[in-house]
């Protein structure tokens, strides 16, 4: 389905929801098909597109290891990274590693990897298998302060041990780790919050990545709100 | 390179659509509703409590009557060349309407002002301060504008009370006309002219008194005319004197000539001269001659011619002949003489001339005396004439001044009377009335208020959105980072746990 000229139809919830089903149809017809808009479905569809575009598309070049970082510490990357990993695991048969801090899997009081529930070692990496091809790997620097060399080493291990890895990094505005990790990875995705992230902060973070010659894959805008009623939105 | 197409693709700010504009309003609905609600509330308040009633009036400014200008000229020409009012004159009237003095009068008479929302801030205000403040407020509310291409000035005033609006304009009109009359005419003109009239009258009396005194003192009524007459007389006398002198000279010459004539003229003239022969004598002589000749003949008969007796006879004959010749040549003149008429005439003329000369001399002497007298009189009269002319000219000037000021005074009084009766070059072409309807109808105000509230609310919403530093939409993120937005996730989604 082609979005209207000048518009990224992927951000139009109505278009996104029906895109898979109504490819090539007229917009009016499309709108008539869409009865109600489900934000959850829309979000997942957005993530699915992202996964396809980043990991599975030939146009972007081979991307196997992606660092996901936010601009503020308050931005929760976990749902995004989790959904990305799940969708990637669904889309491909390759092994996918989700690196991040997930207390329900890796409680904070048991950050020792060996004590995690269901933890197992894959190569040089210890993680918990969530799905057949999806592993959860604890955050690279969750408890201990590690050097950049160690960070790089762990990233290399991840690359070696898994086909794809999605690394949830700390806030790029407050830590240098995302930059270091992104330099080793195949690219970085910046997560922005529609309720919190300031333009200046986002611009500054991007400049950090650009100055470090990091491959900036794009950004994800989360916490979006749609104040306009759906009926009015449709009419306009 | 493909990745550069994705990552480095330049992003242009798209033209906002209606949907996006509407989204801004919904996103900033709090700001929109608060501002729009405030404006709408103000509109409703205005509808019920702030309706304005506007009263209007129009002032016509004409070139008007041409008052005589205040000048020293008796008949100062009226300026009749101005047939239309100039822009400067109309603007002057406009400013006159806005005069602070007039506004204060209006404020006082209509008791404008009073308690308002901020009266508690002016508890220490004096009466004058309040008056001035209200006058300034009135100046702001009063609209005075000249109407283009007309001689009309439109004046309008809006108030919550229609009757007050009308009363304000009525008071303004009256105050303006008074002020206009006062400034159009120089103040104190009548008084000034009265003073000048009295002064000129006093001067006139003085000069006339001096003239009378002079006339009485010098005994002249019209010195100039008398002088002229005296001059004429003097001229006549002089002419007579000269004539007399001429006659005297003529007479003298006549006398001389007459004397000369008398010296030459015989006293008696032969009136009749008869020359006749003396017949008896001639007869006698001739007889004698004859006798002699006879004697001679006789003698000759006797004697020789050389004889003494013959010679004597010849002598006697010769003598007789000579006597006869002489007698023939000297006839007997019977000369009758008489008095020579010419001589007599000349003598008579001479006597007349002599008598006449005496008369002429006496006449000349008398004329000389008269001439001297008249010359003196003329000189005196000349001086008197100069003085009298001077006095008369002063009196005339004083009289002219007096009459001029009297005329000007009358004109000034007439103009004042016309001004008092409102006969001026301004008139109220349209009287103010209390409007029955407000300036803006309720529906118009509501519609305008609704539109204004929408615009204000929208403006506030867009301003808030513009000033919001937070990224709200994927488009914002694209423009800000100049990179694509890979996903746009609604709030509170993707919260389902993995396990």
């Amino acid at each position: 389905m082609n979005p209207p000229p000048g518009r990224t139809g992927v951000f139009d919830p109505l278009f996104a929801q029906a895109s898979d089903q109504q490819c090539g149809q007229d917009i009016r017809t499309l709108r008539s098909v869409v009865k109600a808009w489900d934000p959850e479905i829309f979000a997942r569809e957005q993530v699915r597109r992202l996964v396809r575009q980043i990991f599975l598309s030939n146009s972007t070049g081979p991307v196997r290891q992606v660092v996901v970082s936010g601009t503020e510490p308050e931005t929760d990357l976990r749902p995004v990274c989790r959904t990305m990993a799940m969708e990637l695991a669904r889309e491909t048969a390759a092994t996918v590693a989700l690196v991040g801090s997930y207390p329900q899997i890796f409680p904070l009081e048991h950050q020792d990897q060996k004590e995690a529930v269901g933890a197992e070692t894959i190569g040089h990496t210890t993680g918990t298998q969530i799905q057949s091809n999806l592993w959860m790997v604890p955050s690279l620097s969750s408890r201990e302060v590690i050097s950049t060399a160690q960070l790089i080493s762990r990233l290399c291990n991840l690359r070696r041990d898994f086909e794809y890895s999605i690394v949830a990094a700390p806030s790029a505005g407050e830590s240098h780790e995302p930059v270091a990790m992104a330099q080793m990875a195949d690219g970085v995705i910046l997560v922005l919050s529609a309720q919190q992230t300031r333009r200046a902060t986002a611009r500054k973070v991007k400049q950090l990545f650009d100055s470090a010659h990091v491959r900036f894959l794009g950004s994800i805008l989360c916490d979006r709100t749609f104040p306009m009623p759906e009926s009015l939105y449709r009419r306009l | 390179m493909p990745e550069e197409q994705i990552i480095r693709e330049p992003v242009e700010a798209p033209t906002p659509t209606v949907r996006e504009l509407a989204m801004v309003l919904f996103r900033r609905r709090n700001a929109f509703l608060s501002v729009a609600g405030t404006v709408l509330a103000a509109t409703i308040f205005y509808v019920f409590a702030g309706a304005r009633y506007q009263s209007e009036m129009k002032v016509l400014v004409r070139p008007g009557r041409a008052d005589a200008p205040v000048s020293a000229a008796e008949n100062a020409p009226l300026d009749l060349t101005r047939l239309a009012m100039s822009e400067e004159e109309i603007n002057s009237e406009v400013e006159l309407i806005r005069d602070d003095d007039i506004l204060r009068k209006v404020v006082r008479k209509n008791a404008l002002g009073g308690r308002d929302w901020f009266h508690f801030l002016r508890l220490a205000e004096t009466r004058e301060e309040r008056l001035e403040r209200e006058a300034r407020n009135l100046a702001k509310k009063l609209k005075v504008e000249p109407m283009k291409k007309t001689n009309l000035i439109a004046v309008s005033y809006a108030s919550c009370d229609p009757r007050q609006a009308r009363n304000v304009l009525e008071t303004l009109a009256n105050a303006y006309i008074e002020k206009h009359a006062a400034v159009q005419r120089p103040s104190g003109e009548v008084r000034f002219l009265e003073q000048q009239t009295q002064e000129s009258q006093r001067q006139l009396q003085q000069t006339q008194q001096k003239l009378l005194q002079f006339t009485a003192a010098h005994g002249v009524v019209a010195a100039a005319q008398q002088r002229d007459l005296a001059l004429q007389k003097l001229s006549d006398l002089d002419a007579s004197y000269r004539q007399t002198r001429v006659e005297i000279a003529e007479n003298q010459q006549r006398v001389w000539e007459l004397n000369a004539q008398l010296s030459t003229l015989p006293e008696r003239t032969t009136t009749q001269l008869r020359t006749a022969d003396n017949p008896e004598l001639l007869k006698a002589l001739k007889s004698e001659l004859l006798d002699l000749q006879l004697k001679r003949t006789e003698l000759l008969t006797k004697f020789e011619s050389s004889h003494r007796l013959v010679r004597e006879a010849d002598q006697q004959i010769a003598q007789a002949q000579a006597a006869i010749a002489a007698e023939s040549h000297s006839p007997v003149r019977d000369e009758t003489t008489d008095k020579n008429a010419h001589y007599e005439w000349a003598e008579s003329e001479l006597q007349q001339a002599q008598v006449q000369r005496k008369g002429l001399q006496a006449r000349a002497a008398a004329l000389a005396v008269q001439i001297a007298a008249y010359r003196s009189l003329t000189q005196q009269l000349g001086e008197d004439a100069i003085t009298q002319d001077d006095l008369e000219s002063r009196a005339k000037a004083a009289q002219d001044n007096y009459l001029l000021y009297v005329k000007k005074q009358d004109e000034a009084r007439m103009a004042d009377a016309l001004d008092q009766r409102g006969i001026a070059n301004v008139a109220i072409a349209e009287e103010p009335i209390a409007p029955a309807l407000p300036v803006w109808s309720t529906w118009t105000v509501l519609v305008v208020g609704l539109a204004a509230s929408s615009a204000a609310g929208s403006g506030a919403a867009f301003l808030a959105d513009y000033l919001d530093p937070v990224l709200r939409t994927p488009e914002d993120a694209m423009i800000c980072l100049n990179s694509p937005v890979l996903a746009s996730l609604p709030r509170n989604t993707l919260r389902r746990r993995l396990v």
Side-chain angles (χ1 to χ4, degrees):
Chain A
M1 182 193 67
N2 293 323
R7 287 282 166 266
T8 51
V10 64
F11 306 123
D12 190 325
L14 295 180
F15 284 109
Q17 185 164 326
S19 61
D20 283 341
Q21 301 171 3
Q22 303 297 333
C23 204
Q25 287 193 2
D26 185 65
I27 297 176
R28 286 187 199 164
T29 308
L30 182 65
R31 285 180 177 168
S32 65
V33 170
V34 175
K35 299 295 181 185
W37 179 67
D38 188 351
E40 195 68 35
I41 296 174
F42 173 73
R44 292 189 181 282
E45 183 60 31
Q46 290 283 302
V47 174
R48 191 175 305 134
R49 286 175 178 274
L50 182 154
V51 165
R52 288 176 183 171
Q53 185 176 351
I54 296 298
F55 295 101
L56 306 178
S57 169
N58 295 325
S59 59
T60 59
V63 176
R64 293 179 54 225
Q65 191 175 62
V66 169
V67 172
V68 180
S69 177
T71 53
E72 292 91 15
E74 297 82 14
T75 306
D76 190 3
L77 307 178
R78 292 174 298 177
V80 175
C81 296
R82 181 182 61 225
T83 308
M84 282 173 62
M86 289 174 66
E87 291 297 331
L88 182 59
R90 191 179 302 151
E91 293 286 333
T92 180
T95 54
V96 177
L98 172 61
V99 180
S101 174
Y102 292 88
Q104 65 275 21
I105 300 177
F106 297 103
L108 292 175
E109 60 272 20
H110 299 104
Q111 285 299 312
D112 186 356
Q113 296 178 5
K114 294 181 180 176
E115 298 177 2
V117 175
E120 53 185 275
T121 302
I122 303 96
H124 297 86
T125 308
T126 302
T128 303
Q129 189 172 11
I130 304 301
Q131 293 177 1
S132 59
N133 59 339
L134 176 62
W135 274 266
M136 183 74 67
V137 177
S139 177
L140 298 180
S141 58
S142 57
R143 282 281 302 267
E144 57 195 35
V145 177
I146 60 174
S147 64
T148 305
Q150 289 175 329
L151 196 64
I152 294 172
S153 172
R154 289 191 181 181
L155 285 172
C156 291
N157 292 337
L158 271 175
R159 186 186 289 276
R160 192 168 42 246
D161 297 335
F162 295 93
E163 290 284 332
Y164 296 99
S165 53
I166 297 172
V167 181
S171 168
E174 295 191 353
S175 171
H176 67 282
E177 288 183 6
V179 177
M181 285 195 280
Q183 283 178 330
M184 286 306 300
D186 294 329
V188 63
I189 293 176
L190 190 62
V191 177
L192 310 171
S193 173
Q195 302 300 321
Q196 293 180 350
T197 305
R198 293 171 177 262
R199 293 187 182 85
T201 307
R203 212 174 283 125
K204 178 182 169 185
V205 167
K206 177 142 185 318
Q207 284 175 358
L208 282 175
F209 286 122
D210 290 339
S211 60
H213 303 289
V214 171
R215 185 182 177 186
F216 194 86
L217 297 174
S219 57
I220 296 174
L221 185 64
C222 60
D223 295 333
R224 280 198 67 192
T225 57
F226 301 92
M228 187 184 293
E230 183 185 345
S231 57
L232 182 61
Y233 186 86
R234 284 189 197 178
R235 289 198 182 91
L236 294 177
Chain B
M1 294 176 67
E3 60 184 47
E4 289 182 351
Q5 288 179 358
I6 294 175
I7 300 173
R8 305 295 177 193
E9 184 179 355
V11 178
E12 296 178 357
T15 304
T17 62
V18 175
R19 178 188 293 172
E20 288 174 351
L21 296 176
M23 283 181 67
V24 171
L25 293 180
F26 277 97
R27 191 160 56 231
R28 303 292 172 187
R29 56 179 172 272
N30 291 337
F32 174 81
L33 290 176
S34 59
V35 173
T38 303
V39 173
L40 195 61
T43 303
I44 294 172
F45 176 77
Y46 174 83
V47 167
F48 291 103
R52 309 288 288 179
Y53 293 85
Q54 180 168 296
S55 182
E56 293 182 349
M57 73 172 179
K58 290 189 175 62
V59 178
L60 176 65
V61 184
R62 305 179 293 233
R65 70 171 194 265
D67 289 338
V70 179
S71 71
E74 180 178 358
N75 293 317
L78 303 176
D79 185 8
L80 300 174
T81 59
R82 294 167 45 246
L83 302 178
M85 298 294 294
S86 65
E87 187 179 348
E88 288 81 9
E89 288 168 324
I90 293 181
N91 288 337
S92 300
E93 298 298 330
V94 168
E95 291 304 316
L96 194 59
I97 292 174
R98 292 197 186 117
D99 181 58
D100 187 59
D101 203 20
I102 292 177
L103 295 178
R104 285 171 181 250
K105 279 186 189 175
V106 172
V107 168
R108 270 195 291 263
K109 191 154 185 190
N110 291 278
L112 295 179
R115 295 169 70 88
D116 57 0
W117 294 102
F118 304 103
H119 71 277
F120 60 92
L121 297 175
R122 298 186 290 265
L123 294 175
E125 191 178 49
T126 64
R127 189 178 176 183
E128 276 303 313
E129 289 173 348
R130 189 187 73 82
L131 184 64
E132 183 169 345
R133 181 173 53 79
E134 292 303 329
R136 289 183 187 179
N137 289 338
L138 179 61
K140 289 176 190 174
K141 292 180 184 176
L142 201 63
K143 291 181 187 173
V144 183
E145 291 175 350
M147 299 178 73
K148 293 191 189 308
K149 297 188 179 179
T150 65
N151 287 349
L152 292 171
I153 299 173
V155 184
S156 63
Y157 177 76
S159 172
C160 296
D161 184 2
R163 283 173 296 181
Q164 186 186 55
R166 179 200 60 199
N167 295 339
V168 164
L169 288 185
E170 280 181 353
T171 313
L172 181 72
N174 294 333
Y176 161 66
I177 290 178
E178 285 179 14
K179 185 79 173 182
H180 174 83
V183 298
Q184 283 291 323
R185 293 183 51 75
S187 61
E189 182 180 357
V190 173
R191 180 68 185 158
F192 169 76
L193 291 174
E194 284 178 354
Q195 292 174 352
Q196 292 300 315
T197 304
Q198 291 171 2
E199 177 63 21
S200 63
Q201 187 180 13
R202 185 184 64 78
Q203 289 181 358
L204 175 62
Q205 288 172 353
Q206 281 182 354
T207 53
Q208 285 178 346
Q209 188 64 30
K210 283 184 184 176
L211 187 61
L212 286 174
Q213 288 174 356
F214 172 83
T215 306
H218 290 78
V220 292
V221 177
Q225 292 173 357
Q226 287 179 273
R227 178 200 60 193
D228 293 340
L229 288 174
L231 278 174
Q232 183 67 31
K233 192 70 177 176
L234 179 63
S235 174
D236 293 340
L237 288 175
D238 187 66
S240 295
Y241 177 78
R242 292 177 188 277
Q243 183 66 27
T244 304
R245 297 299 301 178
V246 168
E247 288 177 359
I248 288 174
E250 180 185 353
N251 182 272
Q252 183 65 41
Q253 186 67 26
R254 187 181 176 83
V255 167
W256 286 342
E257 288 297 323
L258 287 172
N259 282 328
Q261 289 291 327
L262 284 174
S263 63
T264 58
L265 284 176
E267 188 171 349
R268 298 188 68 84
T269 59
T270 304
T271 60
Q272 189 176 14
L273 181 63
R274 288 181 297 180
T275 59
D277 293 334
N278 193 349
E280 284 86 20
L281 180 60
L282 283 175
K283 188 176 177 183
L285 286 175
K286 284 183 180 178
S287 144
E288 185 176 356
L289 178 58
L290 184 55
D291 292 336
L292 287 171
Q293 285 177 350
L294 291 174
K295 179 183 184 180
R296 187 175 179 267
T297 306
E298 194 182 338
L299 287 168
L300 282 172
T301 59
K302 308 178 173 177
F303 309 102
E304 295 281 319
S305 60
S306 51
H307 198 273
R308 189 183 46 95
L309 289 169
V310 174
R311 276 203 311 258
E312 284 182 9
D314 284 337
Q315 276 184 343
Q316 287 177 350
I317 293 171
Q319 286 180 353
Q321 285 181 344
I324 292 170
E327 190 64 27
S328 296
H329 287 93
S330 57
V332 176
R333 297 180 56 226
D334 183 8
E335 186 175 4
T336 306
T337 64
D338 196 355
K339 292 183 180 177
N340 190 348
H342 293 291
Y343 186 87
E344 290 295 327
W345 174 83
E347 192 176 28
S348 171
E349 289 294 321
L350 178 62
Q351 288 176 354
Q352 286 181 2
Q354 287 174 346
V355 170
Q356 188 178 12
R357 186 174 65 181
K358 295 292 185 184
L360 288 175
Q361 285 176 347
R363 182 179 175 189
L367 285 175
V369 170
Q370 282 195 354
I371 286 172
Y374 269 97
R375 189 167 285 138
S376 173
L377 177 64
T378 304
Q379 187 175 359
Q380 182 62 38
L381 286 174
E383 292 174 356
D384 291 343
I386 292 173
T387 306
Q388 191 177 29
D389 283 344
D390 182 54
L391 291 175
E392 284 179 348
S393 63
R394 288 184 186 182
K396 182 72 167 58
Q399 186 180 16
D400 291 341
N401 277 343
Y402 172 71
L403 293 175
L404 175 66
Y405 282 121
V406 166
K407 182 181 175 185
K408 295 291 183 187
Q409 186 180 352
D410 290 339
E411 288 173 354
R413 283 184 186 151
M414 196 185 309
D416 275 349
L418 290 173
D419 286 341
Q420 286 175 2
R421 284 158 179 77
I423 303 175
N425 65 327
V426 294
I428 306 300
E430 181 180 322
E431 296 285 343
I433 59 172
L437 295 174
V439 177
W440 299 94
S441 68
T442 303
W443 288 112
T444 305
V445 172
L446 285 176
V447 169
V448 171
L450 200 61
S453 64
S454 301
S458 302
F462 282 105
L463 182 64
D465 197 65
Y466 178 76
L467 296 176
D468 188 5
V470 176
L471 293 169
R472 296 286 179 187
T473 63
E475 289 78 14
D476 287 346
M478 273 198 297
I479 295 169
C480 176
L481 300 178
N482 197 21
S483 64
V485 176
L486 301 173
S488 171
L489 307 178
R491 181 191 283 182
N492 299 325
T493 54
L494 305 180
R495 298 291 181 189
R496 192 182 63 189
R497 294 187 176 182
L498 287 172
V499 179

